[in-house]
Amino acid sequence: MDAALVGRDAVVERVWRALAAGTPVLLDGPSGIGKTALWRAVVAHAGRTGWRVLSAAPTEAETALPYAALADVLRPLADVLPGLPAPQRAAADMVLLTGEHDGAVDDRAVGAATRTLLDAAVTGAPRVLLAVDDPQWLDPPSARALRFALRRLSRWPAVLATHRTGDSPPVPLGLDDDPTGRHPLLRADVPPLPPADLHRVLAARLGGTLSRPLTDRLARDADGNPLLAIELARAVLRLPRPPAHDEDLPVPSSLRLLLAETLRALPGPSRDAVRLAALLTVPTLRDLAAAGAPAGALDAAEDAGLVVVTPSRIDFAHPRYAAAVRESIPPGARRRLHALLAGAVADPDERARHLSRCTVAPDDAVAADLAVAAARQRMRGASALAADWYARAAELTPPSATADRNRRRLDAVQCRIDSGDYAAAGRAAEAAAGELTGAERGEALLLRALVAWCADDLVTAVRVAEQALAAAGPDGELAGRIHTHLTMFHDQPEAARAHARAAIARLSDRDEHRPLLTAALLLLFFHEVRAGGPAPTDLLDRALALEAGEPSFLAGSVPAIWWKAVDDHDRARARLHLMLDLAVARGDDPLRHEVLTHLGETELLAGRFAEAGTHIAAARDLGEQLGTGLVGESWLAGVLDAHRGRLAQAGAAAAGLRRDDDLGDAWGRRLHHQLTGLVALASGEWATAAAAYGSLAADLDGSGIAEPLGQRFEPDWIEACVGAGDLETAHAALDRLARRHGRLPRPWTTLGLARSRVVLAGATGADPGEALDALAQARAAVPEAVLPLDRARCLLDAGRAYRRVRRRREARAALDAAVAEFDALGASAFADRARAELGRIGARTPAPTTLTATEERVARLAARGQTNRLIADALYISPKTVEANLARVYRKLGIASRAELGAAMGRPPGQ
């Protein structure tokens, strides 16, 4: 997508729908918000779809050129000029400069010609779009002619114009003055962009990736205005280093000059009061009075439009004014004012901030106060600010207090990780590791490893954490902490279990160890299952009891991963939403990113594709801002696209994951193989799919992973092998799936085994009757809300098997039901396959006891407890039609009420 249109999909769609319906549209917003980009996108779309576009985009310099804009509008209609009455043709020739005219211009003739030409255009084909960008720069004669014509047209073209908020007139071209009343105006506000969309705009325009905290600041200071954000970002990139969280972004030179003149004109006491207010985080009259500012000192500044004074606080009239005032204060004067405020303010954090700004030499007391204030900000979720304060506290710590200085330095790194500023955290951790020794060096290396893990660089994470363990020594709490992290970093269960046991041996259940011990227990449980052993749920239970309702920061997602793996979606969802709330409250963006990714997978497995898409998109947006590798969320997005039939997008995602082969990232490589197989399977490329799934199985075997909890690929592998004619490998894959089911029976393995046996029976020419009966029983055993996609695929496989043995009625019933269920999910790729199978059966009137596709949809929604009105809204039919369909359903199924629907809809097809 064009960077200018990022985050504007909803606005573009709304505008296009209105234009297609004949409603004139005014794009409204402040300068720089992106109105012109939207205007150009809509105009281009109209041209691509066959509309005749009459457009003008005048500039300020063209306001003095009579009829310049009107000529742009009318030029595409030049072929109609010969049919105009003589006075109108003469006027049109004059506007278009296509003839010689010595007489005076007749405005009325120009207006009449414009009306006639527009009327002729809208009367014929194709559709017509009249589009004017920046109508405030229309030359007056053009504006008069267009307004004259529009007032007299009985049928308008589609009209699109832009309008800068605050400009006069409030509505250009008289678009709100239609005398017929048939063209009500739509004012489409172009809203500010949120930080996630601004991040994508800035990355596309300027290259590279700005940190998440910096992007948030740019969005705040630019008030979501992309043009202003781009200019601010360019100014930041010209600086020798990024500004700290409590340092100002650069101030535009024009604003700096404007404020300098205004400040010079103020009386001395008023200027000092404005400076004091600018240096306060939240300026109040009380703090200014305590700092010695006399009553009424801000009156002149308020009269000049710099500030707005209320009894509770003082606000600058523009968000950038305060920064411009601060920049204008000479360094010495600024330190003096900070010292004055440090003695005046009551808030301890504000006092510590001012003391740190006026102190130039190491000072143990100031450093200690600032470190305590940083800890409070960290607890409040302000991780970026806490990082800067910890770093400043380390700078102010005297050389003799080495332990305090190093502790504050490492706390700053941890806060940068928590804020999502991985680049700054990585640099700071590497610098600390290069200067520190012993356990402190080990801790710095561990933080550097954590940065790599957050960025999906698992190879570096393991390597650097092993270095951290060597620096820390084999025993003690730090060694236990590093072992816990290594358990999380390691992909192979054997190594991970060894580190987990080492961590547990070094940690106790004391309060300070509890989060780490909880994480070690959860990770040991996780890797014991992955190694293929019985699920040691006692470890899980012990960990959940230890955490006492507050999930571990390190491995808190493990219970949700487990519950996803056993298809307990409700429990997984509840756990993840609890963690999401905690992450938001703490300002922990890395954790929020992890949780959003897991929520996307949970909803994908639960068949809630819309919710899955929302969470996956949010995870990708946050991942882009954090600078992660986007591995997990790209895989999930590709799987969702494949299910929805968007195979090109899914294939692109699979290709993007291929980079992990070069990085040696086994996890990313496995995701690539699985997504490649799924896309090939959906495309009917059986051999490619079979090869991809075979590579996935080989990778798992080579890593010692017997139970890859998140990867359910064997049923698809079997289908691909059957399609490719490799029945030997298909049977081997079936044996593999049976072993997984034997170790850990789950709904997905139950359905997958039953489906795969039906597929193999059909491929070998065996009678599928017994396998079909088992499939029906397996489907009935899995509740409808659990794995709806898998349940629908059971119907598809059953329908295909019935068709091959010429049991057409059963085949049609199963496939009709499959289409209905796939459509309800939005699984277009599978719905298309089911329809193709139906096409191979041939058209035939359904037997009286067989539900039609509509009856099937209505019955299933009713069985879920939906009312007739909700069913009607969902299927775009009337409640009367719902009643009629239910009556036929009851008759065909031999039931009398909704209470019996749930059981009846769980019967095997054809029974």
Side-chain angles (χ1 to χ4, degrees), residues 220-581:
R220 182 196 65 204
D221 282 27
D223 199 21
N225 187 303
L227 182 62
L228 180 54
I230 289 169
E231 292 308 311
L232 284 173
R234 284 177 173 147
V236 167
L237 292 174
R238 287 193 290 267
L239 297 174
R241 64 167 179 82
H245 191 75
D246 58 349
E247 293 178 343
D248 291 318
L249 299 179
V251 177
S253 57
S254 58
L255 181 60
R256 192 185 310 121
L257 293 173
L258 173 66
L259 264 294
E261 294 175 5
T262 305
L263 286 171
R264 275 196 299 269
L266 293 178
S270 183
R271 183 167 54 250
D272 289 343
V274 169
R275 287 175 168 178
L276 287 170
L279 292 174
L280 285 165
T281 303
V282 181
T284 65
L285 291 174
R286 181 220 163 276
D287 286 340
L288 286 188
L298 289 173
D299 290 350
E302 192 168 20
D303 292 341
L306 272 180
V307 296
V308 177
V309 181
T310 66
S312 60
R313 60 182 290 159
I314 301 159
D315 291 304
F316 282 84
H318 188 280
R320 302 295 295 153
Y321 282 3
V325 170
R326 287 191 290 268
E327 189 177 286
S328 71
I329 306 174
R334 184 183 292 202
R335 287 193 294 272
R336 178 180 62 79
L337 293 175
H338 276 303
L340 184 62
L341 288 170
V345 297
D347 181 77
D349 291 356
E350 185 76 350
R351 177 180 178 275
R353 184 177 74 87
H354 288 296
L355 283 173
S356 73
R357 294 299 184 85
C358 67
T359 304
V360 294
D363 187 308
D364 191 43
V366 173
D369 285 349
L370 190 58
V372 171
R376 282 193 290 264
Q377 294 298 326
R378 184 178 185 180
M379 290 295 294
R380 294 169 186 161
S383 302
L385 180 60
D388 289 339
W389 285 9
Y390 273 128
R392 178 62 176 153
E395 293 172 359
L396 293 174
T397 303
S400 57
T402 304
D404 288 339
R405 184 180 68 246
N406 294 345
R407 178 72 267 150
R408 290 159 186 167
R409 189 175 181 182
L410 295 172
D411 284 341
V413 177
Q414 181 64 65
C415 287
R416 295 205 190 282
I417 295 174
D418 293 342
S419 73
D421 192 351
Y422 296 154
R427 290 192 298 269
E430 287 177 356
E435 298 170 16
L436 304 180
T437 59
E440 289 170 334
R441 179 173 185 270
E443 190 164 355
L445 287 168
L446 176 60
L447 290 170
R448 177 64 187 90
L450 188 58
V451 171
W453 180 76
C454 289
D456 290 335
D457 185 357
L458 305 188
V459 175
T460 299
V462 171
R463 175 176 54 80
V464 177
E466 295 284 5
Q467 295 172 4
L469 188 60
D475 299 313
E477 185 269 342
L478 178 57
R481 181 144 51 103
I482 297 172
H483 278 298
T484 304
H485 281 77
L486 276 164
T487 306
M488 183 172 63
F489 298 160
H490 267 291
D491 181 60
Q492 296 186 355
E494 187 67 26
R497 287 187 294 172
H499 284 295
R501 294 187 185 105
I504 293 169
R506 288 161 176 78
L507 300 170
S508 70
D509 58 0
R510 299 198 311 269
D511 285 347
E512 62 268 27
H513 288 180
R514 184 172 296 177
L516 286 169
L517 179 58
T518 300
L521 291 168
L522 289 172
L523 290 166
L524 180 57
F525 164 78
F526 176 67
H527 286 292
E528 290 286 2
V529 174
R530 293 177 80 232
T537 53
D538 58 316
L539 292 174
L540 177 62
D541 293 340
R542 182 184 170 194
L544 291 174
L546 270 176
E547 74 176 23
E550 185 164 347
S552 162
F553 66 92
L554 197 59
S557 59
V558 166
I561 294 171
W562 167 248
W563 292 323
K564 277 189 298 180
V566 296
D567 298 320
D568 191 347
H569 308 310
D570 290 339
R571 203 170 180 188
R573 188 182 295 115
R575 170 84 176 187
L576 292 169
H577 278 293
L578 169 64
M579 294 181 64
L580 185 61
D581 291 342

